[in-house]
Amino acid sequence: MITINERSRDAEPVALADAIRAALQVRADGFARIEADAALWIGLAKACTAGWHDLGALWVDDHHVRMALWDAQENCRAIVSLSLKAGAYPSVGLHHPPALRLERAMRDLYGAIPDGIPDERRWLDHGVWPGREHEPGYHFLPVEGNGLHQIPVGPVHAGIIEPGHFRFTANGETVARLEARLGYVHKGVEALAQGASIEKAAKLAARMSGDSTVAYSFAFSRAVEAALGWEIPPRAQILRGVMAELERLSHHVSDVGGICNDAAVAVLLARCSLIREDILRTQAALFGHRMMMDAIVPGGVARDIDAAGATAILALLERIEIGFHRVVRAYDQSPSIQNRTHGTGIVQLDFIRQFAAGGFVGRAGGRAFDARASFPYPPYNAVAFKVPTREESDVDARIWIRIEEIAESAGIIRQLLAKLEDGPIHAAPPPFQPGAGAALVEAFRGDLFLAVRIEDESRIAHMHARDASWFQWPLLETAIDGNIVADFPLCNKSFNCSYSGVDL
């Protein structure tokens, strides 16, 4: 263990904007780079809890632990690095609980010890990794009270849902506590990316969470391009935005249907499934893959569309709007569904702020953060759209955020297609120089952060991605408190967190 002097432990919170002004190292990717000592590290961690800025990611790379932080109001972002001392560093989670699972994961992957962490349990390691069998087994947090019983669910579920274990502690039908245990689809992505070519690493990134494949490819490509100073053609920028919004449309429509199905209204799931199938078939016809996997690549895009393709997308949008309007009308006029979704699965607004929850989870609770608007990147810096928010923070609010975002995405796509001009869709890379880059993009679940470091020519030294679900899974556990067990599928689907995206 390292020894942290009392001065460091007693460090006052430090505003990110002040730290950036002192660093004076803002790079092309929009992130300042700050080399911190223990006192500054702890001060920045404490300021996360104080709400001065948000924790975006925490990872280990090149004998350093790094934090991504941002403050949308001050329009500043930074990657803060602290050198590991004897393999350890001052725990961020000790001061800011949203960092706990990130630190536990990095301890499993790299053996980096967060000094003072209040939760030392494994996260990704399920007790079978070589050389660690002697470590204590996993235990769920205790719950005390009369008449309590436990209900274990998973990790194997019905259908094709990914594996995850949910441990309910209930009093009768009322949930007193839920604790999730994930990590069952750990893939070793960061180890696989190390030393890989940019082309191979791009394919790994695109498969970290398959339903967000466009967003991950978008983030990876922007990070690589920032690291190498790689400029891409305007037409490619537009096509990237079109694909990203089609992906958002597809999953928002699917989620609304899935939530209605969990409220026992299967007919709306059927309608949404037909709409989504229409989207997937159009994507396959135009971009070569139903999910548009590997369509965004460093330097541009791999697939182009002609005038007929643009017309096909516009026709698709009209069909979506007509069909989905019927779904929305049926949802809004059905007392039985409203009874299930109103007031169910409420997330406290303080938790949303503390965890900097993104996407429909955050916006349903009043947090108006959207990477496309808060830190605009091409092509979103050239289009107009609204970021819808609600205050109820329940299942119904998360449905309505999706409904409103579907309309906004359709509007964005129309604006982008109107700007689509002839030109190349891919640019050759510039002369190679080692570098590091980061990107923040808005996936359909929320903000997605990805950082890369490239040392050898066309070889990735390190890649780290942080899915929005890292900060949403813990809020699902709070949302079910006080609800009945039977409402968990409804709450869970309204969050629709990624298992694979956090299992790395």
Side-chain angles (χ1 to χ4, degrees):
M1 282 289 185
I2 60 175
T3 301
I4 302 174
N5 62 47
E6 291 304 316
R7 180 183 176 186
S8 296
R9 289 189 186 278
D10 296 337
E12 294 295 324
V14 177
L16 181 62
D18 292 340
I20 289 176
R21 279 191 285 268
L24 297 175
Q25 295 184 47
V26 179
R27 296 191 183 177
D29 57 14
F31 287 84
R33 299 309 197 270
I34 300 173
E35 294 291 333
D37 58 14
L40 178 57
W41 179 266
I42 294 172
L44 289 166
K46 289 181 177 180
C48 289
T49 300
W52 295 4
H53 48 250
D54 297 329
L55 173 66
L58 187 150
W59 71 103
V60 172
D61 170 34
D62 193 27
H63 307 293
H64 287 76
V65 58
R66 308 190 196 277
M67 278 193 297
L69 304 172
W70 47 76
D71 181 343
Q73 290 186 339
E74 294 289 338
N75 191 33
C76 61
R77 295 176 284 177
I79 294 174
V80 184
S81 299
L82 176 68
S83 178
L84 293 171
K85 304 297 184 184
Y89 64 96
S91 170
V92 176
L94 176 63
H95 309 284
H96 189 55
L100 287 173
R101 290 184 178 177
L102 305 178
E103 292 186 328
R104 290 164 62 189
M106 290 303 107
R107 182 176 182 176
D108 285 350
L109 291 176
Y110 299 103
I113 301 171
D115 185 41
I117 186 172
D119 188 348
E120 296 186 347
R121 296 176 298 167
R122 305 183 186 105
W123 184 245
L124 296 175
D125 179 6
H126 283 232
V128 296
W129 291 9
R132 301 185 184 181
E133 298 86 352
H134 64 284
E135 296 184 9
Y138 194 86
H139 63 275
F140 289 89
L141 297 177
V143 184
E144 297 180 354
N146 295 323
L148 297 177
H149 62 282
Q150 289 191 338
I151 307 172
V153 177
V156 178
H157 303 279
I160 58 173
I161 187 174
E162 292 180 285
H165 180 84
F166 301 97
R167 184 67 58 93
F168 295 87
T169 301
N171 187 333
E173 279 293 302
T174 303
V175 177
R177 183 185 185 87
L178 167 65
E179 187 174 353
R181 177 79 169 108
L182 305 176
Y184 293 92
V185 285
H186 171 61
K187 304 168 290 297
V189 172
E190 294 191 5
L192 291 171
Q194 188 172 2
S197 66
I198 289 176
E199 292 76 15
K200 180 179 179 181
K203 291 183 179 295
L204 288 171
R207 288 154 179 80
M208 288 188 70
S209 185
D211 55 7
S212 300
T213 182
V214 171
Y216 271 86
S217 293
F218 204 162
F220 176 82
S221 296
R222 284 186 53 79
V224 168
E225 288 154 7
L228 301 180
W230 197 342
E231 298 289 337
I232 77 166
R235 185 177 180 87
Q237 300 277 27
I238 296 293
L239 290 173
R240 285 180 173 185
V242 170
M243 285 185 268
E245 295 310 308
L246 285 172
E247 181 173 77
R248 196 179 325 277
L249 278 171
S250 167
H251 291 299
H252 281 357
V253 168
S254 178
D255 283 355
V256 170
I259 296 168
C260 292
N261 185 59
D262 284 333
V265 186
V267 64
L268 294 186
L269 171 63
R271 288 184 179 181
C272 288
S273 296
L274 290 173
I275 296 171
R276 182 170 187 257
E277 179 62 23
D278 192 8
I279 299 172
L280 296 180
R281 291 184 180 186
T282 302
Q283 291 173 174
L286 298 180
F287 298 105
H289 192 283
R290 285 168 61 87
M291 305 293 284
M292 299 176 289
M293 187 171 283
D294 302 324
I296 294 179
V297 296
V301 295
R303 298 291 294 250
D304 200 357
I305 60 173
D306 55 16
T311 301
I313 294 174
L314 294 173
L316 170 67
L317 295 179
E318 292 185 9
R319 295 195 299 272
I320 292 171
E321 288 169 335
I322 293 171
F324 194 65
H325 174 73
R326 296 169 182 162
V327 172
V328 174
R329 185 175 58 188
Y331 170 77
D332 200 31
Q333 296 178 355
S334 173
S336 62
I337 305 180
Q338 300 292 312
N339 184 57
R340 294 293 306 281
T341 60
H342 277 269
T344 301
I346 295 175
V347 182
Q348 294 183 29
L349 304 191
D350 286 346
F351 287 157
I352 287 176
R353 182 203 61 78
Q354 182 184 31
F355 278 78
F360 38 77
V361 175
R363 293 193 277 274
R367 184 173 182 263
F369 183 89
D370 184 316
R372 298 171 298 172
S374 300
F375 297 105
Y377 54 95
Y380 298 106
N381 54 352
V383 296
F385 62 98
K386 296 178 182 178
V387 178
T389 60
R390 297 259 168 164
E391 297 292 335
E392 298 83 359
S393 200
D394 57 3
V395 172
D396 178 68
R398 292 187 282 276
I399 288 177
W400 276 105
I401 292 296
R402 289 174 166 98
I403 291 170
E404 294 176 45
E405 287 190 356
I406 285 171
E408 294 298 324
S409 289
I412 290 172
I413 292 172
R414 289 189 173 102
Q415 292 179 66
L416 291 175
L417 291 177
K419 296 176 181 292
L420 191 62
E421 298 180 353
D422 292 340
I425 61 171
H426 191 272
F432 176 77
Q433 288 187 344
L440 183 67
V441 305
E442 188 71 16
F444 83 92
R445 288 188 175 92
D447 47 283
L448 166 64
F449 172 84
L450 193 145
V452 297
R453 182 168 53 85
I454 308 172
E455 287 190 345
D456 296 326
E457 186 165 354
S458 298
R459 297 286 169 179
I460 302 295
H462 192 81
M463 177 178 76
H464 176 77
R466 191 274 300 155
D467 193 274
S469 298
W470 274 103
F471 298 132
Q472 294 171 349
W473 277 115
L475 299 186
L476 174 61
E477 297 178 4
T478 71
I480 193 63
D481 283 358
N483 290 259
I484 61 174
V485 176
D487 277 341
F488 175 69
L490 198 62
C491 296
N492 189 23
K493 188 59 183 175
S494 76
F495 274 69
N496 190 20
C497 296
S498 173
Y499 297 79
S500 184
V502 303
D503 286 348
L504 299 179

